[in-house]
Amino acid sequence: MRVHKLTFAALAVAAGLSLTACQNDNAGTGQSEPSSPSTVSSGATASSSGGGSDSGSSDQGGAKNSAGTNSGGTGTAAGTGSNANAKVGKCRTDELEITAKDNTIDGDPDGTVVVTLTNHSGRDCTVSGYAGVDLKTSAGSLSAKRTGQQAGSAILKNGKSTYFPVNYPFNKSGGSGVRITGLVVTPPDETKSVTLNWPGAATLPVTDGSGSPVKVGPVGSAGQGG
């Protein structure tokens, strides 16, 4: 019995050692298995990082493209600005030859003086609206009143002329009236004036002060200069 007990004990010990060895082998395998997914995970992180970098490059590339488009837009705006600067400018007083001529037709109830504006600037220019007109008289300066006619805008070619009328009442009072000594013309949108000899009737009737008896039409409203 003792021999059998020892034999059983030895077998039990051997079995225990064998079981422990198997458990150790399994435990080693269990530790090595996650290492592979960890590498994959690291690879995935690297790949994801690489994707982020690519994405960043793509975003930066997009920003460059957007900036390029904006630059193009600015360039276009600058081009438009240049075109705007190249547009025909307005006619200046010093660029115009201004003359006046009596254009009264027999039978007209009022007298008419036509003022001629001739472009001698060497370039085309625009002129529109009403000129300022003042008569120098023995009683002081008399400003002409606008007729209220629609004022158009036109390009005055170099060397060409345009006209506007100045209408005034005849002095039929039998008295001396108000003597006219000069005509002052200020082109539209200008502040510089020119003074001309008055080519019309020598006098105006004395008014009651209710308003100017002299009227001016817009530039271009007179068909010809006399």
Side-chain angles (χ1 to χ4, degrees):
M1 289 295 293
R2 186 175 184 146
V3 174
H4 287 99
K5 285 180 180 179
L6 288 174
T7 301
F8 289 143
L11 288 173
V13 171
L17 290 174
S18 175
L19 179 60
T20 301
C22 289
Q23 286 176 348
N24 288 339
D25 288 343
N26 288 338
T29 305
Q31 289 175 359
S32 65
E33 284 178 357
S35 68
S36 190
S38 174
T39 303
V40 171
S41 174
S42 175
T45 301
S47 174
S48 174
S49 227
S53 175
D54 289 345
S55 175
S57 296
S58 176
D59 289 344
Q60 290 173 1
K64 287 179 182 178
N65 288 338
S66 177
T69 302
N70 289 339
S71 280
T74 303
T76 303
T80 303
S82 297
N83 291 337
N85 292 335
K87 286 182 179 178
V88 178
K90 67 180 181 180
C91 300
R92 301 289 184 178
T93 301
D94 291 337
E95 298 174 330
L96 297 171
E97 180 185 358
I98 304 174
T99 59
K101 182 178 181 180
D102 183 24
N103 197 48
T104 303
I105 299 174
D106 290 342
D108 282 354
D110 295 318
T112 301
V113 166
V114 168
V115 177
T116 303
L117 307 176
T118 303
N119 179 8
H120 65 83
S121 64
R123 66 178 180 89
D124 297 346
C125 60
T126 59
V127 60
S128 62
Y130 284 82
V133 171
D134 297 281
L135 297 188
K136 297 172 71 175
T137 77
S138 57
S141 180
L142 177 65
S143 296
K145 184 179 179 180
R146 295 179 178 182
T147 61
Q149 225 175 317
Q150 182 68 34
S153 179
I155 294 177
L156 186 59
K157 297 289 186 180
N158 181 47
K160 298 300 182 179
S161 301
T162 188
Y163 315 90
F164 66 85
V166 178
N167 300 113
Y168 63 95
F170 293 120
N171 180 16
K172 299 177 181 178
S173 64
S176 60
V178 179
R179 187 167 55 89
I180 304 172
T181 60
L183 171 64
V184 182
V185 177
T186 308
D189 300 319
E190 285 290 277
T191 56
K192 187 175 182 179
S193 304
V194 296
T195 300
L196 309 172
N197 292 325
W198 173 250
T203 63
L204 293 173
V206 177
T207 66
D208 58 5
S210 60
S212 175
V214 182
K215 295 183 179 181
V216 57
V219 171
S221 61
Q224 42 84 35

